[in-house]
Amino acid sequence: KQEVTQIPAALSVPEGENLVLNCSFTDSAIYNLQWFRQDPGKGLTSLLLIQSSQREQTSGRLNASLDKSSGRSTLYIAASQPGDSATYLCAVRPSNDYKLSFGAGTTVTVRA
Amino acid sequence: NAGVTQTPKFQVLKTGQSMTLQCAQDMNHEYMSWYRQDPGMGLRLIHYSVGAGITDQGEVPNGYNVSRSTTEDFPLRLLSAAPSQTSVYFCASSAGTSGARELFFGEGSRLTVL
């Protein structure tokens, strides 16, 4: 069974600092990995989707890397802003199943 | 631009009552799914569907039923509510039939079972 872990559970940084969020998974046989953002009381919004054949994906200030062999993905957010405060979740889709496995998320607070 | 719409947003039930959470999407997505989110546990898949007339169980299907009579709608039925079903429920959809594309989520339905 795929286990997805996100450490730390919470993170607080001053505005302008770069954010580094970690996601680890136990089974490297994945199809893709997605990073999501969740604001309090809201649904999830997809940020980046990395296919298993890719090493990284970028969108604006966001960059996600994927190291399938070591079971790790990292989400980098450059020059953080208070508006980046949210919970960030990663989800892994196995290569042989439709069922995504989610991490519990990292809650980020960016202090002005 | 509606995307994925869930109703109701909030619901309180008594143990043993039944109810249906509605989910509708207007993006012509084949793949639809239901998750529950509990503190510290991430999201867990309840049921999913890869097209009209096709449904399958996820990780935590017990106590829930689904049907998919149209591409747009994917209702989740609680047969006999239990306090353990107190949670936030999310419906999500994606293009294609494999769930391997970008997932779009609804705003959630917050259910309390007394």
Side-chain angles (χ1 to χ4, degrees):
Chain A
K1 179 180 179 290
Q2 179 76 269
E3 300 286 342
V4 181
T5 303
Q6 294 184 249
I7 296 174
L11 188 60
S12 178
V13 299
E15 183 176 4
E17 190 165 303
N18 295 334
L19 282 164
V20 180
L21 306 178
N22 299 305
C23 173
S24 61
F25 47 94
T26 54
D27 188 346
S28 62
I30 68 169
Y31 191 88
N32 62 32
L33 183 146
Q34 288 191 56
W35 281 95
F36 295 88
R37 170 186 172 135
Q38 185 176 27
D39 293 296
K42 299 293 186 181
L44 282 71
T45 301
S46 181
L47 297 173
L48 290 168
L49 185 153
I50 313 176
Q51 302 296 344
S52 62
S53 59
Q54 296 177 306
R55 296 284 293 180
E56 65 178 333
Q57 191 71 258
T58 298
S59 176
R61 294 185 295 113
L62 277 59
N63 174 277
S65 66
L66 175 64
D67 184 342
K68 217 172 52 164
S69 60
S70 67
R72 291 181 184 177
S73 177
T74 302
L75 178 66
Y76 302 90
I77 303 177
S80 62
Q81 304 167 358
D84 294 327
S85 298
T87 298
Y88 293 84
L89 299 95
C90 64
V92 173
R93 187 197 181 278
S95 56
N96 60 354
D97 200 345
Y98 295 129
K99 303 169 188 171
L100 277 71
S101 296
F102 280 80
T106 296
T107 299
V108 171
T109 302
V110 180
R111 307 185 304 271
Chain B
N1 211 8
V4 179
T5 302
Q6 291 183 234
T7 56
K9 292 193 184 325
F10 300 93
Q11 183 73 48
V12 178
L13 289 178
K14 294 181 180 178
T15 297
Q17 288 184 318
S18 63
M19 76 158 299
T20 299
L21 300 178
Q22 301 291 345
C23 175
Q25 52 89 12
D26 61 0
M27 298 172 282
N28 202 32
H29 285 170
E30 295 288 345
Y31 182 90
M32 296 186 74
S33 53
W34 276 101
Y35 290 87
R36 59 178 290 172
Q37 185 176 36
D38 301 291
M41 298 189 69
L43 277 83
R44 292 180 291 170
L45 181 64
I46 304 171
H47 286 286
Y48 67 96
S49 168
V50 297
I54 305 170
T55 63
D56 206 347
Q57 296 182 350
E59 184 183 354
V60 288
N62 292 341
Y64 306 95
N65 272 358
V66 292
S67 60
R68 185 94 180 269
S69 56
T70 67
T71 299
E72 295 78 17
D73 300 300
F74 191 43
L76 178 72
R77 296 183 186 84
L78 280 70
L79 308 174
S80 178
S84 62
Q85 294 178 304
T86 294
S87 188
V88 181
Y89 292 85
F90 289 99
C91 179
S93 72
S94 69
T97 58
S98 64
R101 310 273 290 273
E102 181 184 1
L103 266 181
F104 292 83
F105 279 80
E107 293 277 282
S109 297
R110 285 150 185 79
L111 176 67
T112 301
V113 182
L114 303 175

